[in-house]
């Protein structure tokens, strides 16, 4: 029986993969049904089964990618369990196919659930995608990662980030500073997503050069957006008029990603959400895809998933 070995150059990451008293490594062993040997900077299994070797390679490299960047909101064990649950199975080729490699990025982005993988699939196959789902389901993060891939592989020339400025009890006009300073807190989640996959100095350079542009939704009227990837975040807080205006800004060689959670509308009760309306009337239109994520796609702390499921059950 031959040994299949993977070298882990970073000893700190290797110790996280193994965990205290090899508790994390035992999760991988239980999943594979094989003992995993850790020696020096190597992880290895003993098997002649090529499928198991490929599965072991995929699992370990996914874990290493996840651990290569700090800032995760889940524990190491939860991260490893997520990898095993979503892509550690015979679907590892499917998950690999829809990973996102960003030139100059700090890590490859893997979808962590089948729903997330289908979202990436739709972003690749259609030019306009609605990504709907609860907080923590990865919709905004994956859209940002795919937009950066398109930009840095020279498929588009720029990225435009926008969102409606609607928050409970607070108006943009009361915030201090100029327009950029006013809108920045609202766009912060998008910048956080970019900073998770690209060096922060690269994000700053692209922003300073106008290649990544932040534009309040109200300032989009009259524009035609050519050769760019456009992300409309928090789209549930658009009105029907704003959504129609935004969707008709799309120009040649552009990709448009619309993200939102229809269950979290902050508009006054008598105003229809532009996202909810668009999902109804654009369903089935050729060239437009709708990806619906749910609590099963949430990859934050396990407690977040339970909270979302409790609210979903209450609404039923």
């Amino acid at each position: 029986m031959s040994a299949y070995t993977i070298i882990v150059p970073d000893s700190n990451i290797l110790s996280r993969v193994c965990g205290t008293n090899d508790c994390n490594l035992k999760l991988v062993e239980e999943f594979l049904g094989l003992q995993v040997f850790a020696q020096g900077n190597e992880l290895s299994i003993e098997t002649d089964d090529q499928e198991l070797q490929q599965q072991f390679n995929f699992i370990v490299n996914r874990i290493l990618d996840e651990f290569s960047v700090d800032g995760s909101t889940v524990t190491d064990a939860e991260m490893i369990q997520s990898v095993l649950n979503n892509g550690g199975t015979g679907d590892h080729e499917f998950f690999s196919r829809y990973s996102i490699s960003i030139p100059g990025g700090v890590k490859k982005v893997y979808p962590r659930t089948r729903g997330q993988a289908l979202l990436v699939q739709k972003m690749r196959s259609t030019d306009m995608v609605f990504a709907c789902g609860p907080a923590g389901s990865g919709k905004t993060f994956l859209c940002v990662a795919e937009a950066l891939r398109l930009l840095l592989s020279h498929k588009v020339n720029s990225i435009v980030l926008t969102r409606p400025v609607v928050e409970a009890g607070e108006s943009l006009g009361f915030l201090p500073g100029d327009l950029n300073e006013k809108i920045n807190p609202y766009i912060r989640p998008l910048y956080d997503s970019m900073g998770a996959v690209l060096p922060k100095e690269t994000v700053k350079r692209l922003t300073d050069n106008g290649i990544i542009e932040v534009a309040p939704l109200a300032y989009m009227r009259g524009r035609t957006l050519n050769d760019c990837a456009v992300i409309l975040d928090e789209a549930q807080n658009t009105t029907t008029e704003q959504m129609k205006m935004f969707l008709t800004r799309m120009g040649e060689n552009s990709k448009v990603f619309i993200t939102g959670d229809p269950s979290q509308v902050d508009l006054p009760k008598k105003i229809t959400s532009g996202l909810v309306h668009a999902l109804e009337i654009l369903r089935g239109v050729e060239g437009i895809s709708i990806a619906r994520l749910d609590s099963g796609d949430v990859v934050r702390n396990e407690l977040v998933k339970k909270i979302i499921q409790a609210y979903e059950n209450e609404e039923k």
Side-chain angles (χ1 to χ4, degrees):
M1 189 175 293
S2 59
Y4 183 84
T5 301
I6 298 173
I7 297 173
V8 183
D10 190 319
S11 59
N12 290 326
I13 290 181
L14 178 59
S15 67
R16 291 176 64 188
V17 174
C18 295
T20 305
N21 297 323
D22 289 341
C23 62
N24 292 340
L25 213 54
K26 288 174 184 174
L27 294 173
V28 179
E29 289 178 335
E30 290 173 5
F31 184 87
L32 292 173
L34 288 172
Q35 185 173 359
V36 179
F37 301 94
Q39 185 172 8
N41 65 338
E42 297 178 348
L43 294 173
S44 62
I45 57 174
E46 292 185 351
T47 180
D48 293 323
D49 188 323
Q50 291 188 352
E51 176 63 25
L52 272 175
Q53 291 176 358
Q54 290 175 6
Q55 195 171 31
F56 176 64
N57 180 75
F58 176 81
I59 289 170
V60 172
N61 280 296
R62 270 207 64 184
I63 293 170
L64 295 180
D65 275 333
E66 296 292 352
F67 286 170
S68 65
V69 178
D70 292 330
S72 174
T73 58
V74 299
T75 66
D76 289 351
E78 287 174 331
M79 180 66 74
I80 290 173
Q81 194 61 62
S82 175
V83 170
L84 297 175
N85 291 343
N86 305 291
T89 63
D91 287 337
H92 56 271
E93 290 185 8
F94 174 75
F95 280 80
S96 292
R97 187 182 315 132
Y98 294 110
S99 62
I100 302 173
S101 295
I102 302 168
V106 296
K107 70 171 184 175
K108 182 181 286 188
V109 175
Y110 287 94
R112 296 184 189 168
T113 68
R114 175 163 284 275
Q116 291 186 1
L118 291 172
L119 168 57
V120 177
Q121 181 186 48
K122 289 175 179 179
M123 288 192 289
R124 300 268 173 89
S125 61
T126 52
D127 290 336
M128 181 176 289
V129 179
F130 287 83
C132 302
S137 58
K139 57 189 184 298
T140 299
F141 179 73
L142 290 171
C143 288
V144 167
E146 178 65 9
L148 288 170
R149 184 191 72 83
L150 291 168
L151 174 68
L152 295 172
S153 57
H154 307 292
K155 305 292 185 185
V156 298
N157 294 331
S158 63
I159 293 175
V160 177
L161 309 174
T162 188
R163 59 165 288 178
V165 180
V166 177
E167 296 294 342
E170 186 164 355
S171 169
L172 184 66
F174 292 110
L175 293 175
D178 60 20
L179 179 62
N180 285 334
E181 291 171 327
K182 288 175 185 286
I183 195 68
N184 207 42
Y186 293 86
I187 300 295
R188 188 74 254 165
L190 298 171
Y191 277 117
D192 289 343
S193 295
M194 288 189 284
V197 295
L198 268 187
K200 286 183 171 54
E201 56 270 20
T202 303
V203 176
K204 185 178 187 306
R205 175 175 55 81
L206 293 171
T207 303
D208 289 345
N209 292 340
I211 296 172
I212 296 176
E213 176 191 354
V214 174
L217 185 59
Y219 287 64
M220 301 287 284
R221 190 175 299 277
R223 298 183 62 180
T224 301
L225 301 171
N226 295 315
D227 296 304
C228 63
V230 190
I231 299 175
L232 170 59
D233 195 33
E234 299 289 341
Q236 74 275 4
N237 288 329
T238 61
T239 64
T240 55
E241 293 81 7
Q242 286 175 324
M243 179 62 79
K244 179 182 177 182
M245 178 274 292
F246 170 78
L247 296 178
T248 54
R249 299 308 94 203
M250 184 179 185
E252 296 295 324
N253 188 42
S254 288
K255 288 272 192 176
V256 177
F257 307 138
I258 303 103
T259 72
D261 180 358
S263 71
Q264 294 292 317
V265 177
D266 294 318
L267 295 168
K269 292 187 186 245
K270 294 183 180 179
I271 298 180
T272 301
S273 164
L275 175 62
V276 174
H277 180 253
L279 292 174
E280 291 175 355
I281 68 170
L282 298 178
R283 185 174 59 247
V285 174
E286 186 177 356
I288 297 176
S289 292
I290 298 172
R292 296 185 185 274
L293 305 174
D294 57 31
S295 58
D297 298 296
V298 173
V299 292
R300 290 180 181 170
N301 188 291
E302 279 295 313
L303 194 56
V304 175
K305 184 180 296 188
K306 292 176 182 178
I307 291 169
I308 292 170
Q309 287 171 343
Y311 274 94
E312 288 177 349
N313 292 337
E314 176 69 17
E315 290 168 1
K316 292 176 183 177

